[in-house]
Amino acid sequence: MSDSDSAAIVLAAGKGTRMKSDLPKVLHRIGNRAMVHHVLDRVAEAGIERVAVVVGAGAQEVTDAVSPVRTALQDPPLGTAHAVLAARDLLEGFDGDVVILFGDTPLLTADTIRHMLDLRRSPADPGVVVLGFRPADTAEYGRLIVDGEGRLQAIVEHRDADEEIRRIGFCNAGITAVDGRHLLSLLDAVGNDNAKGEYSLTDIVEIARSRGLDCAVTEVADPDEVMGVNSRAELAVAEGVFQRRLRARAMAGGATLIDPDTVYFSHDTVLGRDIAIGPQVVFGPGVTVGDGVTIRAFCDIEGARISAGAVVGPFARLRPGARIGEEVSIGNFVEIKASSVEAGAKVNHLSYVGDSRIGARANIGAGTITCNYDGFAKAETDIGEGAFIGSNTALVAPVTIGPGAIVGAGSVIAKDVPADSLAVERSTQKVKAGWAEAFRVRRRGKRKAMQTDETG
Ligand code: UD1
Ligand code: MG
């Protein structure tokens, strides 16, 4: 649903000093997606198309990352009200509603954004709607001063609060929705006479009240949603919350997770129904899993498409460009990269398959390696349908094995093999009858002689 009456401004100019990183804070990832992208995804999900990101530290990197979403530069950063004013261009002449979000608060849901906008447009017509929460530790948050009828009177920053106000447990999550008809004039009235010397967005509440506008507050249903990330430790906590959401979504969609806490999804993992996932499975970006697939324990999967009924693992690694066909079997210690394994084929043990096509129902024996790299360039291997590759075969690419061909175990295959033929490349086997027994007799005799020498 598109909402042309709303705009969003995502504040992301902060330095993120505590991350101790060369990467701008909002580009650190959760579930393989940058935090600022999580926020922009939720804004899009809420139907908002008019969006700007306020950048400062690492401006160019953040601008490149969020493109084509527009950015506004705030330099130097003088507070959250000053930051919103940096996006003045987005707001000039816009009289819809504006929701202000933080780029380092990636777990907010689209439902909460919608709820705030709905409240903004409710019959009470509040000029400002603030999102509140009750953190276990109120330490650094602004406190919400609410009157007897639940209307928001003011927000007082922790540093500016007296003991009585500091005892208030209801805090400002920072996310704010404002009537766009008033926003610019409210922001222009904000001063910087406070402990931090900053132009604070929170001041618009009192300014709005002084102009006779109502202000409202709504409490977020799940406090995890408004968790901000300022350090690597907090990034890990946010990742944990996000992973729990993805696991719950996977199970709700019809996947069985034997030990959910040990399975790591990516923000974009797509799962069908009746999938079984064993313990210790990690999904990187870009994975699609079809119906009825079984992924056994200890697999690492990235950029892969796994079709219906396939079985993968245990201990398999699927790398970008792996396309696993229907009913395919990929077994233990098998690595597949940029290759298509067609329906019903089997690669069950100890293989590397790269830049290859394995035709339908082909059987790739244990220890088969496609030698796809000569130190300079990659080359391709093509294995026809129904081919049988014996164990411990090296396929030196570029090479083609025709449909129905058989390659004898232990071969190094550097030339094409025609359809339905046998290729075997190994030295002729020598058999010396009785040699082993004669060898043992000889060796035993020698040992006996030595022992007699020692004791005699
Ligand atoms: C802010 C709120 C506080 C609330 C808390 C919730 C203000 C004045 N205070 O405090 O009431 O409890 O969030 O987490 O708003 N930013 C800019 N430019 C600036 C300053 C900040 O883009 O000049 C961005 C930051 O990158 C960050 C967000 O705005 O994404 C919030 O700024 P931050 O400094 O973390 O505000 P808090 O002090 O946490
Ligand atoms: Mg903060």
Side-chain angles (χ1 to χ4, degrees), residues 306-325:
I306 307 172
S307 300
V311 178
V312 175
F315 298 101
R317 180 166 184 215
L318 302 182
R319 290 172 53 202
R323 294 177 301 282
I324 308 303

Side-chain angles (χ1 to χ4, degrees), residues 226-257:
V226 295
M227 196 202 138
V229 172
N230 299 295
S231 63
R232 308 274 182 161
E234 287 171 357
L235 186 70
V237 174
E239 179 77 46
V241 172
F242 188 60
Q243 288 296 337
R244 280 196 288 284
R245 280 190 195 168
L246 293 179
R247 290 165 191 147
R249 191 168 80 187
M251 291 186 279
T256 295
L257 274 53

Side-chain angles (χ1 to χ4, degrees), residues 304-371:
R305 196 181 66 220
I306 307 172
S307 300
V311 178
V312 175
F315 298 101
R317 180 166 184 215
L318 302 182
R319 290 172 53 202
R323 294 177 301 282
I324 308 303
E326 291 187 9
E327 309 290 333
V328 160
S329 173
I330 302 293
N332 40 256
F333 307 108
V334 170
E335 174 180 346
I336 311 273
K337 185 219 71 169
S339 295
S340 163
V341 184
E342 295 177 357
K346 293 185 168 62
V347 191
N348 275 336
H349 333 265
L350 301 159
S351 282
Y352 171 68
V353 174
D355 305 304
S356 305
R357 178 190 76 100
I358 296 176
R361 297 177 313 284
N363 191 315
I364 309 301
T368 297
I369 307 291
T370 56
C371 311

Side-chain angles (χ1 to χ4, degrees), residues 11-15 54 74 77-80 82-83 102-104 133 140-142 155 157 171-174 196 198 200-202 230:
L11 305 190
K15 273 210 186 68
V54 177
Q74 184 204 20
L78 300 177
T80 44
H82 181 256
F102 293 170
D104 63 359
F133 74 128
E140 293 303 318
Y141 296 109
I155 304 176
E157 288 304 296
C171 291
N172 174 27
K196 247 177 149 180
E198 289 192 344
S200 300
L201 178 62
T202 46
N230 299 295

Side-chain angles (χ1 to χ4, degrees), residues 247 249-257 265 271-277:
R247 290 165 191 147
R249 191 168 80 187
M251 291 186 279
T256 295
L257 274 53
F265 291 106
L271 302 175
R273 281 166 59 111
D274 290 315
I275 289 168
I277 302 174

